[in-house]
């Protein structure tokens, strides 16, 4: 009974901050995808322009990243390690995940910049080669996400989508 109660409250905690992701029209995910686009524009404009210049829309790959919290992109062991970090953070699933996705996208910049057409870019983004990822890769990803969070989370307009986000 205790395990069941603990599991219930843990799941409630996880879903508490991301409930808008799973309601009609999924406004939470739509917002996070837009915020990822704005964040990427700020942290790596060259990568952002490369994607947009080849007609890749963030919704085409980031929707799944936000919807599944990177579960489909990472091996189970790496997902458990990443989610452990989310659970240790205040608003880890609802806030910190955005920075993890930003770091995740930028991690692949070298490969993405080599791809010169919509199809190969999108196929790569939908099937990133993480099958052998483990603790070391997740540790580096989380460290970069923390760096991004500290640099940008306090900037009042960095996720607003307004003029401040495009500079």
């Amino acid at each position: 009974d205790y395990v069941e109660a603990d599991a219930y409250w843990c799941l409630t905690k996880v879903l508490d901050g991301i409930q808008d992701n799973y309601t009609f029209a999924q406004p939470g995910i739509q917002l996070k995808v837009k915020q990822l686009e704005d964040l990427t524009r700020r942290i790596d404009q060259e990568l952002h322009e490369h994607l947009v210049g080849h007609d890749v829309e963030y919704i085409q790959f980031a929707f799944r990243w936000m919807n599944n919290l990177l579960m489909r992109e990472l091996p189970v062991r790496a997902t458990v390690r990443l989610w452990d970090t989310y659970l240790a953070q205040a608003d880890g699933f609802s806030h910190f995940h955005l920075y993890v996705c930003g770091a995740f996208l930028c991690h692949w910049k070298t490969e993405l910049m080599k791809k010169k057409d919509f199809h190969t870019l999108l196929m790569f983004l939908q099937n990133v080669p993480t099958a052998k990822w483990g603790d070391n890769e997740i540790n580096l990803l989380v460290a970069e996400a923390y760096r991004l969070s500290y640099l940008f989370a306090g900037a009042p307009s960095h996720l607003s989508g307004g003029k401040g986000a495009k500079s």
Side-chain angles (χ1 to χ4, degrees):
D1 288 340
Y2 292 117
V3 172
E4 182 180 351
D6 287 350
Y8 171 80
W9 289 112
C10 285
L11 182 61
T12 299
K13 173 71 175 149
V14 168
L15 294 176
D16 188 40
I18 58 173
Q19 60 192 358
D20 283 350
N21 289 9
Y22 308 107
T23 59
F24 178 73
Q26 300 174 301
I29 292 176
Q30 301 286 338
L31 175 63
K32 290 299 180 193
V33 168
K34 178 64 177 141
Q35 288 176 337
L36 178 61
E37 182 175 356
D38 292 343
L39 179 63
T40 305
R41 182 182 302 119
R42 296 281 309 270
I43 61 178
D44 196 328
Q45 187 158 357
E46 180 185 26
L47 176 57
H48 170 74
E49 288 176 359
H50 182 70
L51 295 174
V52 172
H54 288 91
D55 298 321
V56 174
E57 295 180 27
Y58 285 72
I59 195 80
Q60 294 167 318
F61 63 91
F63 183 89
R64 186 169 92 175
W65 295 6
M66 299 301 175
N67 191 38
N68 298 309
L69 302 166
L70 291 176
M71 229 168 75
R72 292 189 61 192
E73 282 62 43
L74 300 171
V76 172
R77 185 175 173 88
T79 301
V80 169
R81 168 61 183 87
L82 179 62
W83 283 28
D84 184 58
T85 300
Y86 289 168
L87 287 168
Q89 292 286 313
D91 303 321
F93 288 94
S94 62
H95 181 72
F96 189 63
H97 179 65
L98 170 67
Y99 296 98
V100 170
C101 287
F104 190 66
L105 179 59
C106 289
H107 173 81
W108 304 107
K109 178 180 181 174
T110 302
E111 264 107 300
L112 290 168
M113 296 304 286
K114 292 176 187 174
K115 307 209 180 304
K116 302 297 183 190
D117 65 87
F118 169 83
H119 180 73
T120 56
L121 278 164
L122 193 57
M123 290 304 293
F124 183 85
L125 287 165
Q126 291 178 343
N127 299 291
V128 288
T130 58
K132 295 183 181 184
W133 273 37
D135 287 349
N136 289 337
E137 291 81 6
I138 296 300
N139 289 343
L140 291 171
L141 182 68
V142 166
E144 179 61 12
Y146 275 123
R147 188 184 76 79
L148 294 175
S149 176
Y150 284 120
L151 286 173
F152 294 100
S157 65
H158 95 282
L159 295 176
S160 68
K163 292 180 183 175
K166 296 180 182 178
S167 56

